[in-house]
Amino acid sequence: MRYFFTVLMGVFFFMGLIETSSLHATHNRGGEITIEQIGDLTVRATITTYTKASSVAADRDSLTIDWGDGNTSVIYRSNGGGFGEIIGNDLKVNIYIGEHTYPGRSTYTISMTDPNRIAGIQNINFPNSDLILFYIETEFSFLNPQFQGFNNSVKLLNPPIDFACVGERFVHNPNAYDPDGDSLSFHLIESLEASGTPVPRYEFPDEIIPGPDNTISMDPVTGDFVWDAPQLRGEYNIAIKIHEYRNGNIISTTIRDMQINVRDNCETQPPQIFAADELCVIAGDTISETIIAEDPDIGQQVKLSAAGGPFELDISPARFDGPEGYTDPPVESQFTWETHCNHIREQFYQVIFKAEDNAFGNAGLVDLRNLLITVVGPAPENLEASSRVDGIELRWDKPYACEETIDEYFNGFTIWRRDTPREVEIDSCGTDLEAEGYSVIAFGQKDSMDGSYFFVDETVQKAANYCYRVTAEFARRGGEGNNPFNRVQSLPSGEVCAQLALDIPLITEVSVQETGTNDGAISLTWTRPLTTDFDTLEFVGPYTYQLWRSEGVGTEDFQEIPEARFSSLTFAAMTDTTFTDSGLNTVATGYTYRVTFYTGENEVKYGQSPDASSVFLFSQSANRTNTLFWDVEVPWSNYAFDLFLLDDEGVIADSLGQVEEAPFVHRELVNEEEYCYLLKSTGSYFLDQIPDPLINFSQKICAIPLDTIPPCPPLLSIKNICTHPDEFSTQDPDNLVNILQWVVDECDFFEDDIAEFLIYYSQSENEEAELIAQLPADQREFSHSPEFGLTGCYSLRAVDQAGNISEMSNRVCKSNCPVYNLPNAFTPNGDGFNDLFVPYRPYLFVERVDFQIYNRWGQKVFETSDPEINWDGTNFSGTELAEGTYHYRARVFFIDLSGEESYLFKRGFIQLIRD
């Protein structure tokens, strides 16, 4: 909304600090603060401002910087021989540099405040924006240099000044580059006059003549600010907050204040850039992209430029070759970047191509195009795996393409492993192996032998198939310990899989055949050791299998099963690999088994199988639902579980579905009716020599759904004249009401199961709540008028059809908050209408006020403690004051819920009109 009157702000309380010569000077357009860490606790700060060149009276050869630790410094302008640089369009660029050493490691807010912005900014205290403070800041954190390295704030490569046209889509990008490779996010905020304090009467650009054709947005990833489209000519300011993240934590925040000059004499269309949007390249490759700029307007010339992180690099920076200055379109330039292994990082590099026409002489309409470039490390090549006695050995090519880097950027190799092979589509921009099921088992590996890098995985076990990939790791280094930070992995190698020798039995079946309390039975099957892996010459017969049982899933209290002992004089005759274990209580528990393999006359233990359990199915019943769970611990991978519904004879009647893991919820059942189930597991060792798939069944179970679980507690909210004054503006002060509203979480899946709601009330937070109402299930609102205004605390419970009562809802307390609204204008001209400045009616619960009014120079002209105020537009001596805008500050006192006096702070503006 546009306010057509002059408004002053709290800055007038600081007027005594501002020299008379600069009181009405206009000055700042935009700027930011950049921080570079140059020592353990020392930084170099650069303040960059863009100012009004013609405002000579407000020109600053120095600025005061607040370091955020209680110290300030005067730092001097360093560019243009100390005079700054005038760049046209009434713009001057000023750069101020200072250094500071801090007392300790912490987070500091480094800021600069200047008395003057330029006048006439459309969305800041219009038209008196020159009276508003200009404030910028960067919040900077000193990290632990032993582990996190140094920190440098973001660099903004595009100036904080841009031009737009009425009715034309406008795009600006600050072109942020972080030299440490930290990730960034962008957020649009209000311009500030102090830390955390927005300037008075700030309006976002889309609030000036608002409508569907006037929208703004900020891309949090790329930093694109889009205004589609300006509606009114003039100068506008926005502020962009840029967060810098390392390891998921914010380590710096920069606030840039920038200005947009909107013109209405635009009779041309902006130019258009043709370029790629995104590239992924392997370090060492050369990027060569042709960038073309066209202009739809005949006779219009175009200037094509580029800026971004690749141009800021010390090692092999990018080039942009093409015509300089304004040229007849089409304009063609070449972007070239010979990437280097030190360029590898997780965060993309951003290049912004800018095409600007000369519609306004030496400035004009602009088109921007972002090119996001991800530089990835090459994959280690020719990975091989082989089994040996002590583990699995991996080998891959040496040399690696990026093992030679500057400043030890190559940090060794990372070894990844998973237990099952699976197809993985490798993304050319990088693949998250952890998301694909791999785990890191080693990092920083650089061992080599016989012309290859190698690694031995000694943590493997028999009866498992292991799959590996290798990546190269790169990391920046800094700080006292020169330790790595901002680690990034290369593209992964190809996958290789291997296993240890299969010279032991492997259990492949533990399937429940019969369900019973004392006549249950489980069928077991195991494999023989492979003849290719077991040396019968070294380990001679006889040979014996012994089956062991432990009651429970995953338990280890193993007992021999006497009747499950199988022996043979020769290995070829060892064909007994099945057994049915009977006389079990498969209703109450699952069972775990192992097979031990003995050799020789003395039955020397050669090895044993990994433990494997039966699938034990159990349930939890609730209102119209049975939830099925199961326990199973096996050395193979179960990748599917099928649930079946059984008929009265225990025969499969229907399939309920397949899931990958527990639980499974069977819904919409009939309470107190029995349902019976069976579970089938499907899995595999993923070993070529082992049968596949492995099918096993659980015991049969039955469950009866019952409504024994209470409903979830409702979520309560309350509105009244304090929270929604517009809805209660005509409310009778003698008939105040709290309106309770609530919603029910369907955590028990059936909202129609609710029977009623119980409402509780207490007059204070410390009193015990009493039941005041019982409401039907379809009611979601209740009105209550407390004895004393609006004071009181409320909560409620839900009751279901079975009589289960929920826990108490959230408790909501309301106080007699002050309802005290003030107009923004009055007319003390003696006509009997609106001659006094008074609050709107009704105002409620106000005990007293501390009300003060100031003129535009910050001088107090009126004060009172009477809530009625009754200001007639005169000062303390009774003299009529001039028309204009006055500023008020007020503390409004009231009695809160605890019975103590509290107050709210209000401030605003009053337009005094006599004519």
Side-chain angles (χ1 to χ4, degrees), residues 475-634:
R476 299 186 181 277
R477 296 178 181 272
E480 296 175 349
N482 200 36
N483 287 312
F485 66 94
N486 279 354
R487 302 170 186 262
V488 59
Q489 302 295 326
S490 73
L491 294 175
S493 71
E495 184 181 69
V496 294
C497 299
Q499 64 194 45
L500 294 181
L502 293 181
D503 55 354
I504 57 173
L506 296 182
I507 297 175
T508 57
E509 180 189 17
V510 189
S511 188
V512 178
Q513 279 192 339
E514 297 291 340
T515 301
T517 56
N518 54 24
D519 58 353
I522 294 177
S523 177
L524 295 118
T525 303
W526 60 93
T527 64
R528 300 191 328 149
L530 294 181
T531 56
T532 55
D533 293 340
F534 178 66
D535 189 346
T536 57
L537 296 179
E538 180 179 357
F539 300 96
V540 298
Y543 303 97
T544 301
Y545 297 131
Q546 175 63 59
L547 188 63
W548 302 72
R549 179 205 311 126
S550 179
E551 187 173 305
V553 174
T555 59
E556 295 187 4
D557 184 20
F558 285 97
Q559 305 294 324
E560 282 189 9
I561 305 176
E563 59 270 29
R565 185 179 183 86
F566 308 93
S567 297
S568 175
L569 291 175
T570 65
F571 185 73
M574 288 290 292
T575 58
D576 290 323
T577 58
T578 62
F579 179 76
T580 299
D581 192 16
S582 57
L584 304 175
N585 183 358
T586 54
V587 172
T589 185
Y591 293 87
T592 301
Y593 296 87
R594 71 170 53 146
V595 178
T596 305
F597 181 44
Y598 300 94
T599 66
E601 294 288 348
N602 297 325
E603 292 194 352
V604 176
K605 181 179 177 181
Y606 179 85
Q608 67 185 31
S609 71
D611 300 342
S613 79
S614 62
V615 181
F616 184 70
L617 183 63
F618 58 100
S619 67
Q620 181 181 33
S621 296
N623 179 34
R624 295 162 61 182
T625 65
N626 285 329
T627 302
L628 302 175
F629 304 87
W630 51 93
D631 285 337
V632 60
E633 290 193 18
V634 292

Side-chain angles (χ1 to χ4, degrees), residues 251-503:
I251 60 173
S252 289
T253 298
T254 297
I255 295 179
R256 159 182 270 195
D257 198 310
M258 71 160 291
Q259 189 164 95
I260 306 167
N261 188 329
V262 178
R263 306 190 179 191
D264 62 1
N265 59 340
C266 307
E267 299 179 356
T268 62
Q269 299 295 312
Q272 185 175 4
I273 296 174
F274 298 90
D277 295 322
E278 187 173 354
L279 293 174
C280 292
V281 297
I282 296 175
D285 291 349
T286 297
I287 300 172
S288 183
E289 290 284 311
T290 300
I291 313 302
I292 299 173
E294 297 273 10
D295 196 292
D297 301 302
I298 298 176
Q300 202 79 62
Q301 290 189 315
V302 175
K303 179 171 62 177
L304 183 59
S305 60
F311 298 98
E312 303 296 312
L313 299 169
D314 295 328
I315 303 169
S316 186
R319 306 191 314 272
F320 193 62
D321 301 315
E324 297 183 0
Y326 291 101
T327 307
D328 292 334
V331 180
E332 185 173 306
S333 295
Q334 197 71 20
F335 171 72
T336 306
W337 187 20
E338 298 177 5
T339 61
H340 187 277
C341 294
N342 276 74
H343 298 158
I344 298 166
R345 69 178 197 175
E346 185 173 2
Q347 185 71 9
F348 58 75
Y349 293 88
Q350 184 175 36
V351 177
I352 296 182
F353 301 109
K354 179 179 180 181
E356 182 177 17
D357 65 26
N358 58 349
F360 310 132
N362 60 349
L365 298 182
V366 168
D367 183 31
L368 298 181
R369 175 61 65 92
N370 287 327
L371 174 59
L372 307 181
I373 304 172
T374 301
V375 181
V376 297
E381 295 184 334
N382 297 319
L383 178 65
E384 296 178 349
S386 60
S387 175
R388 62 190 223 183
V389 175
D390 58 343
I392 295 176
E393 180 178 283
L394 304 176
R395 284 185 173 269
W396 61 97
D397 284 358
K398 177 180 173 64
Y400 169 63
C402 276
E403 65 182 33
E404 297 294 334
T405 57
I406 299 171
D407 296 331
E408 303 178 76
Y409 193 49
F410 171 60
N411 201 44
F413 295 99
T414 303
I415 314 299
W416 302 79
R417 187 184 77 189
R418 69 177 178 188
D419 297 339
T420 56
R422 192 175 70 184
E423 290 293 329
V424 176
E425 185 175 347
I426 302 301
D427 189 336
S428 62
C429 285
T431 297
D432 183 359
L433 290 180
E434 187 174 357
E436 298 293 341
Y438 291 89
S439 299
V440 173
I441 61 171
F443 56 89
Q445 298 298 307
K446 295 184 179 180
D447 292 338
S448 63
M449 183 173 60
D450 299 331
S452 298
Y453 287 107
F454 80 97
F455 171 78
V456 178
D457 182 7
E458 298 177 347
T459 64
V460 292
Q461 297 179 347
K462 296 181 179 182
N465 190 24
Y466 297 96
C467 297
Y468 300 88
R469 290 182 188 267
V470 176
T471 58
E473 182 181 82
F474 301 86
R476 299 186 181 277
R477 296 178 181 272
E480 296 175 349
N482 200 36
N483 287 312
F485 66 94
N486 279 354
R487 302 170 186 262
V488 59
Q489 302 295 326
S490 73
L491 294 175
S493 71
E495 184 181 69
V496 294
C497 299
Q499 64 194 45
L500 294 181
L502 293 181
D503 55 354

Side-chain angles (χ1 to χ4, degrees), residues 116 286 551 664 680 779:
N116 303 115
T286 297
E551 187 173 305
F664 178 87
K680 180 182 78 171
Q779 188 166 337

Side-chain angles (χ1 to χ4, degrees), residues 191-227:
S191 293
L192 303 180
E193 65 173 356
S195 181
T197 304
V199 297
R201 293 185 61 209
Y202 183 83
E203 297 171 275
F204 285 103
D206 60 341
E207 296 176 314
I208 308 297
I209 311 181
D213 296 329
N214 186 2
T215 62
I216 60 173
S217 64
M218 170 67 74
D219 189 317
V221 177
T222 66
D224 275 351
F225 169 76
V226 179
W227 186 3

